[in-house]
Amino acid sequence: MLKLKKTIAISAIALLGATSLTSTAVHAEVTANAAATSNYLWRGQEQTGGDAAISGGIDYANESGFYAGTWVSNASWADEMTYELDLYAGFGGDINETVSYDVGYIYYAYPDAASEADADFSEIYGSISVEGFTFGAAVLATSAADGDGTDFGDSLYLNADYSFAVGSNGTEVALHLGHYSGDFIGDDNIIDYGISVSKDGFTFGVSDTDMDESDVKVYVGYAVDFTL
């Protein structure tokens, strides 16, 4: 998904050690986010039929590395539902000055989906970041769908991303390559790739997949985060 708030899915969440919620030594922070995009993409595939999407979420993180949050967006696959609600939790931190990690669990829910759709599913994910590079993996954990592809491990998504600053004005370029495999997705193998440019909360990007009849998708979005 292009989830402007999550650069997937959650791996962009950093350790937050600022505001003390209690008088103990545990420091934590609660933040919120809101975003709009001209086309909601997930791993190169449209989640709103090419229409715009509005999203938002709330995150909690403490200095131990633990985080949890929720995120919601309008979503529609062939008019089977109107919105998506994600719940996630994980643990991340720095290994040294240049290497960091993130592991967690995410549940993708579609509460108003038609009963025959049974679209809910969840994944276990992990990533390692080395300077501008991030290498991640997400494996299917559970699925509400009937038939093949409902068992643990029936799909696997691997991604490699690289981001770098351009100049000194806050502009960032991000390159993405992903590979989705398994029975759960209805296609044994899907490759997605894209490039985006971001500055001051605005993002302009181009994304595509190697699926038959797949068109290049261009999107523009804006995201903002704030502390509660």
Side-chain angles (χ1 to χ4, degrees):
M1 302 176 188
L2 157 77
K3 300 183 170 175
L4 286 176
K5 118 73 244 11
K6 320 182 247 198
T7 311
I8 189 109
I10 324 306
S11 61
I13 293 179
L15 294 179
L16 303 172
T19 305
S20 176
L21 297 183
T22 70
S23 60
T24 68
V26 177
H27 295 274
E29 189 171 74
V30 178
T31 59
N33 59 83
T37 178
S38 61
N39 193 356
Y40 172 15
L41 303 176
W42 184 65
R43 298 172 185 174
Q45 301 181 57
E46 294 177 331
Q47 303 297 294
T48 52
D51 294 333
I54 303 295
S55 62
I58 297 177
D59 293 295
Y60 164 85
N62 66 46
E63 63 182 5
S64 71
F66 172 79
Y67 64 84
T70 184
W71 183 87
V72 64
S73 173
N74 58 296
S76 176
W77 311 334
D79 298 323
E80 290 181 340
M81 76 280 292
T82 62
Y83 74 102
E84 171 189 341
L85 174 65
D86 298 347
L87 303 170
Y88 48 86
F91 196 90
D94 296 329
I95 297 175
N96 55 42
E97 292 184 356
T98 59
V99 181
S100 61
Y101 70 93
D102 181 32
V103 294
Y105 172 85
I106 182 168
Y107 188 91
Y108 301 95
Y110 305 89
D112 69 341
S115 59
E116 64 270 17
D118 289 327
D120 292 10
F121 68 101
S122 66
E123 293 180 327
I124 295 172
Y125 61 85
S127 67
I128 291 288
S129 297
V130 183
E131 296 184 340
F133 292 92
T134 297
F135 304 96
V139 61
L140 180 69
T142 64
S143 171
D146 295 325
D148 293 338
T150 60
D151 296 327
F152 180 88
D154 274 350
S155 75
L156 174 66
Y157 184 72
L158 301 174
N159 67 280
D161 296 87
Y162 178 65
S163 61
F164 57 94
V166 177
S168 58
N169 62 356
T171 300
E172 182 176 86
V173 175
L175 307 175
H176 167 79
L177 177 64
H179 180 249
Y180 206 170
S181 61
D183 296 332
F184 177 68
I185 57 176
D187 194 326
D188 289 340
N189 291 279
I190 297 174
I191 295 174
D192 70 286
Y193 43 90
I195 181 171
S196 64
V197 180
S198 301
K199 185 180 186 302
D200 297 332
F202 290 94
T203 298
F204 173 81
V206 178
S207 177
D208 198 8
T209 75
D210 68 342
M211 299 173 66
D212 292 341
E213 301 180 358
S214 175
D215 296 324
V216 174
K217 293 161 281 288
V218 178
Y219 61 89
V220 61
Y222 178 75
V224 61
D225 296 276
F226 47 92
T227 301
L228 298 179

